[in-house]
Amino acid sequence: MKTKMMFAAALLAATTLSGAAGAKTFVYCSEGSPEGFDPGLYTAGTTFDAAAHTVYNRLLEFKPGTTETIPGLAESWEISDDGLQYTFKLRPGVKFQTTDFFTPTRDLNADDVIFSYERQLKSDNPWHQYVAGASWEYFNGMGFPELIQSIEKVDDMTVRFTLKQPEAPFLANVAMPFASIISKEYADKLEADGQMQLLNQQPLGTGPYEFVAYQQDAVIRYRAHEDYWNGKQKIDDLVFAITPDASVRYQKLKAGECHLMPFPNAADVEEMKADPNLKVMEQEGLNVAYLAYNTQMAPFDKPEVRKALNMAINKQAIVDAVFQGMATPAKNPIPPTMWSYNDSIEDDPYDPDAAKKMLEEAGVSNLSMKVWAMPVSRPYMLNARRAAELIQSDFQKIGVNVEIVSYEWAEYLQRSSDVKRDGAVILGWTGDNGDPDNFLHTLLGCDAVGGNNRAQWCNEEFNNLVMQAKQASDQAERTKLYEQAQVVFKREAPWATLDHSLSVVPMRKEVEGFVQSPLGDFAFEGVDLAE
């Protein structure tokens, strides 16, 4: 109760203060708390929305509503004929934010770009382990340590990346949140003061909104960056009202206490569409939900055991109960809207009798296991607890006893990446850049074991295919390789693929300029409120 009262007071203060000055305040009822405010350290969309898409920019950005890359902090770039060198020309006159905790003395330059990458690349960099247990999960999972040979400063406004081999999705990758550009000047000041941890608590970048304050699990406040290179925002004050319960988010939306919310309950969507004070955007989601077995732990190290469990899951029942028609059962690890999707693959049938027999033939009996259920709503899985209960019931029918476990979101993500994790974890993915590599290599490649690869699965045949596809420049060739990789995935079954969902975004009718992202981002650059 005390936390709720404090949150209400903070939100009221923000709204009253901005209203008194005639400023515009936009309130976003977010679904969870960020793990921190340094995008390089994390992988969750909740965190990226709270940091990468508010405070920071990248060399390239995605054109709103698309997966097309456009100039960001780099106004132009050149690629060498052999595909090994990328030379970025930085945009002149880009200002870092001036906040209560730091006043910059210079504009963006090459030093900031090099610092932002080398802190993740070089283990001897003083910032490589500035947060205990920092793993740079995305940077490593994308294979950047093995890819980047050098990053050099050509001049103050030019940076050259030299790669060890061609990388087809490289430009799309540098537009992703983990590649956000940090102020080296600010980092140097924190290091000199012995306060390096504040980089993850008080972020400072070049983005459209600057960080003001964060009250743990309650509210995040931002204000418009006055000198933003792409123009000052029409919204003066941006508030993230952290509201984990989808029903409570909806009540706040109806009451006008927030302007936009993510991940509504499927059962509420038709009512939302009928409300004259609301409008609802929806589109096919570039996503997948899955149940990842720890393939390094017996008996889940046997493909036939994983196959048997997959055949015991009634995916249509999960889709019906959790999404009420706003999703489809998944058979592949990439969504059907993505190029290279292999539609010729046959899904595992729902067949409990065959599943039980297969377990017996594998020598598995009286199996007890844990199924992990996410504590938050995500676009690919609106209610993981309900999905876990249905899986628990399905597995019980074949003699497998399931204990459902969960943790706070940041802890859930951290624990689930451990190679010694027990049981199977419900998670999912919304594509970050529109390239199949972002699913197949990022989630299932050998580089990502101990990170985004929650199945802890390193299959040489699969890995070779996706690595070849990364280096091929011809999309037709890449498509064939990815289609083959999906065949291997289906045969080896490191996951039970669960669903691909629609992305639904309800908001107040006065909201203008919000663009729904195929990448699942909630970004508020260009957003306004009608008078």
Side-chain angles (χ1 to χ4, degrees), residues 291-300 367-373 402-407 412 414-426 454-456:
L291 179 72
Y293 307 105
N294 187 342
T295 62
Q296 295 192 24
M297 295 288 186
F300 310 109
L367 176 61
S368 293
M369 62 181 290
K370 293 179 179 178
V371 168
W372 295 38
V402 167
E403 176 189 357
I404 299 173
V405 299
S406 191
Y407 301 92
Y412 186 95
Q414 181 181 16
R415 283 175 174 259
S416 64
S417 65
D418 191 335
V419 293
K420 296 183 179 179
R421 184 206 77 233
D422 54 3
V425 59
I426 295 176
R454 259 53 181 211
Q456 317 303 345

Side-chain angles (χ1 to χ4, degrees), residues 61 96 179 208 444 466:
E61 302 285 351
F96 283 100
L444 293 158
V466 297

Side-chain angles (χ1 to χ4, degrees), residues 36-42 47 51 56 119 130 136 182 199-201 203:
F37 290 91
D38 182 344
L41 293 170
Y42 307 107
T47 300
Y56 293 108
R119 71 195 184 112
Y130 86 98
W136 308 108
I182 312 290
L199 187 69
N200 195 33
Q201 300 168 20

Side-chain angles (χ1 to χ4, degrees), residues 138-365:
Y138 240 129
F139 191 87
N140 294 332
M142 300 289 286
F144 270 44
E146 294 75 33
L147 174 67
I148 297 175
Q149 180 171 308
S150 65
I151 310 171
E152 59 184 301
K153 178 179 179 179
V154 178
D155 58 45
D156 279 351
M157 300 303 291
T158 311
V159 179
R160 179 174 295 132
F161 288 72
T162 300
L163 310 183
K164 296 176 184 176
Q165 67 269 339
E167 175 84 353
F170 185 69
L171 289 178
N173 290 346
V174 301
M176 289 167 54
F178 79 92
S180 295
I181 303 303
I182 312 290
S183 166
K184 185 178 187 299
E185 184 186 22
Y186 177 47
D188 287 346
K189 178 67 163 57
L190 292 177
E191 185 177 358
D193 292 345
Q195 296 288 330
M196 294 169 74
Q197 77 283 355
L198 291 182
L199 187 69
N200 195 33
Q201 300 168 20
Q202 296 180 337
L204 183 143
T206 61
Y209 293 97
E210 60 189 46
F211 176 84
V212 176
Y214 173 43
Q215 184 180 328
Q216 180 75 36
D217 299 329
V219 64
I220 316 170
R221 291 190 56 207
Y222 310 86
R223 60 176 167 246
H225 179 190
E226 291 285 343
D227 298 314
Y228 182 46
W229 61 267
N230 203 28
K232 182 179 180 294
Q233 299 303 294
K234 295 175 183 178
I235 296 299
D236 300 283
D237 295 285
L238 176 64
V239 177
F240 277 38
I242 298 167
T243 314
D245 189 297
S247 297
V248 177
R249 291 199 296 275
Y250 179 28
Q251 292 305 314
K252 288 184 176 182
L253 187 70
K254 285 199 294 186
E257 295 174 20
C258 62
H259 296 102
L260 186 146
M261 64 168 281
F263 319 134
N265 288 324
D268 294 332
V269 172
E270 289 306 313
E271 181 180 305
M272 290 174 171
K273 290 179 178 178
D275 189 330
N277 294 312
L278 304 180
K279 54 185 176 183
V280 179
M281 292 182 177
E282 61 183 30
Q283 65 181 17
E284 292 288 336
L286 200 69
N287 61 44
V288 65
Y290 59 79
L291 179 72
Y293 307 105
N294 187 342
T295 62
Q296 295 192 24
M297 295 288 186
F300 310 109
D301 55 340
K302 296 180 178 181
E304 59 269 32
V305 172
R306 304 192 296 262
K307 275 278 189 185
L309 293 172
N310 287 358
M311 291 170 61
I313 298 174
N314 186 344
K315 292 190 284 192
Q316 187 63 54
I318 293 174
V319 165
D320 292 342
V322 175
F323 293 95
Q324 299 191 18
M326 296 195 307
T328 56
K331 66 178 180 180
N332 290 331
I334 64 175
T337 53
M338 177 166 276
W339 62 270
S340 81
Y341 180 83
N342 192 341
D343 199 32
S344 66
I345 287 175
E346 293 288 332
D347 200 8
D348 298 317
Y350 170 55
D351 191 338
D353 293 336
K356 187 172 184 178
K357 183 179 179 182
M358 191 180 295
L359 280 183
E360 292 170 353
E361 291 173 347
V364 174
S365 59

